[in-house]
Amino acid sequence: MAVVIDTVGQPRPRHPEKQNRPDSPLLRKPEWLRVRAPGSPGYSATRDIVRANRLTTVCEEAACPNIGECWSQSHATFMIMGEICTRACAFCNVATGKPGPLDPSEPERVAEAVRKMGLKHVVVTSVDRDDLADGGAAHFAAVVRAIRAASPATTIEILTPDFHRKGAAPEVVIESRPDVFNHNLETVPRLYLSIRPGARYYHSLRLLERVKEQDPVQFTKSGLMVGLGETKEEVMQVMDDMRSAGVDFITIGQYLQPTRKHAPIDRFWHPDEFKALEEIAKAKGFLMVSASPLTRSSHHAGEDFARLQAARRAREAAA
């Protein structure tokens, strides 16, 4: 199993909690999930800026299949609060363990990278930090404010943890006024115990609802993976739950198994099935839907944000 270097420079297993799990088979990817290896000049330029500012990206830590495409276009999703997560979700490739202290210089370093890259739209996510009293909410808000100061024209999308048992922490993040507040439900309620054991489905749903209650102007967004054993009917029920919570934008993508120790793939959904899910979601009233095998929360986020704004204007005009 892969290793990471901890805060004192010592190698350790990337997923220590998964080491004793039995191996699961790795299914061969169908043709529609094959992507080119990264290596363009644009990719290298983005990588250099990330390295120079000592930043972490979810593109690398989560082994995103779209990294080559996104980085070649100077799009990167910054992952704040370290690269060690306190959760052990069965689908996730981010390292698990005891995180180090927060870096107070990180908000300014992220903001400077955004400015240097000339980003029109930026996505900022994080590891879960259950070790912190506020789950990292104040740090998230500081990053949003720093980007606003360094690059006022950049629109900001955040993808947050659930802030489970952190009281009013979500309100601190909401008050920083990001343009898009994203929190992924990830899977259907029936699978939470095995796939997302540290989270609670209805708590995550309530978080998204709280955003709309506090600031109706903020766009809310959430995403699902398929291929973990869910049914189409369960996915449709999650869509209804999201709409009841006021979610504007839904993303649906294929789960890809990082290692043999992670949750196995139940099946690969065909592109035609994703198209059907997209049509269903549109009919349920989402302002924006992105559903395809390679859809990820931050994939094409800038272009999607522009379409999201246009969809809201069109709906308001029609009303």
Side-chain angles (χ1 to χ4, degrees):
M1 183 174 288
V3 298
V4 293
I5 305 301
D6 65 19
T7 53
V8 294
Q10 296 298 314
R12 63 172 188 77
R14 188 175 184 85
H15 304 289
E17 80 294 344
K18 296 181 175 73
Q19 279 193 298
N20 295 324
R21 293 182 181 178
D23 286 357
S24 298
L26 290 172
L27 301 184
R28 181 177 174 82
K29 292 180 183 177
E31 193 63 36
W32 60 79
L33 281 168
R34 310 272 170 85
V35 295
R36 291 183 178 180
S40 70
Y43 172 89
S44 299
T46 299
R47 181 192 58 199
D48 291 346
I49 292 174
V50 168
R51 299 286 184 271
N53 287 275
R54 295 179 290 114
L55 299 173
T56 302
T57 68
V58 75
C59 321
E60 298 170 289
E61 297 303 317
C64 180
N66 301 312
I67 186 171
E69 176 191 350
C70 292
W71 280 29
S72 68
Q73 300 172 15
S74 298
H75 297 161
T77 298
F78 299 109
M79 190 169 80
I80 61 174
M81 298 194 283
E83 58 188 34
I84 307 296
C85 188
T86 54
R87 302 276 176 95
C89 297
F91 65 87
C92 187
N93 196 48
V94 174
T96 302
K98 183 178 180 180
L102 295 178
D103 181 350
S105 73
E106 185 173 52
E108 283 67 34
R109 288 188 289 105
V110 171
E112 179 62 10
V114 171
R115 188 190 65 78
K116 286 181 177 178
M117 294 168 71
L119 297 182
K120 294 181 179 179
H121 185 82
V122 63
V123 183
V124 179
T125 188
S126 77
V127 290
D128 275 284
R129 292 297 303 259
D130 296 311
D131 58 311
L132 300 174
D134 70 346
H139 195 78
F140 240 115
V143 171
V144 174
R145 290 192 295 269
I147 295 171
R148 289 271 186 246
S151 185
T154 301
T155 50
I156 303 171
E157 180 172 330
I158 58 171
L159 172 55
T160 76
D162 58 12
F163 302 111
H164 189 36
R165 298 193 178 97
K166 301 301 180 182
E171 279 68 26
V172 173
V173 185
I174 299 166
E175 287 171 4
S176 69
R177 301 292 301 273
D179 297 282
V180 181
F181 192 114
N182 185 1
H183 174 66
N184 286 334
L185 295 184
E186 305 291 10
T187 189
V188 301
R190 177 176 58 85
L191 298 177
Y192 258 57
L193 188 59
S194 59
I195 301 302
R196 206 178 170 215
R200 300 293 179 269
Y201 177 79
Y202 289 104
H203 173 83
S204 286
L205 199 65
R206 175 61 183 145
L207 170 62
L208 292 160
E209 189 174 47
R210 285 164 76 175
V211 178
K212 282 297 188 185
E213 289 175 352
Q214 186 168 336
D215 185 3
V217 174
Q218 275 184 49
F219 289 107
T220 49
K221 179 177 176 181
S222 191
L224 284 174
M225 299 172 292
V226 294
L228 288 161
E230 67 294 313
T231 66
K232 181 179 179 180
E233 289 73 22
E234 286 177 313
V235 172
M236 291 167 63
Q237 181 59 59
V238 173
M239 290 180 189
D240 287 337
D241 292 343
M242 286 186 186
R243 288 299 302 130
S244 293
V247 173
D248 299 301
F249 186 175
I250 183 174
T251 62
I252 308 172
Q254 172 70 50
Y255 165 62
L256 297 176
Q257 183 180 350
T259 73
R260 292 183 182 275
K261 299 296 184 181
H262 286 78
I265 295 173
D266 174 67
R267 73 180 182 92
F268 292 109
W269 285 53
H270 190 273
D272 290 345
E273 294 179 282
F274 281 98
K275 185 64 178 175
L277 291 177
E278 179 181 353
E279 294 304 317
I280 292 168
K282 287 179 179 177
K284 289 181 180 294
F286 288 95
L287 280 177
M288 184 76 192
V289 182
S290 179
S292 75
L294 286 171
T295 289
R296 297 296 182 267
S297 290
S298 56
H299 193 209
H300 297 157
E303 297 92 329
D304 286 345
F305 178 69
R307 286 193 285 269
L308 189 60
Q309 289 179 306
R312 172 181 280 177
R313 288 193 294 267
R315 181 171 292 182
E316 289 173 348

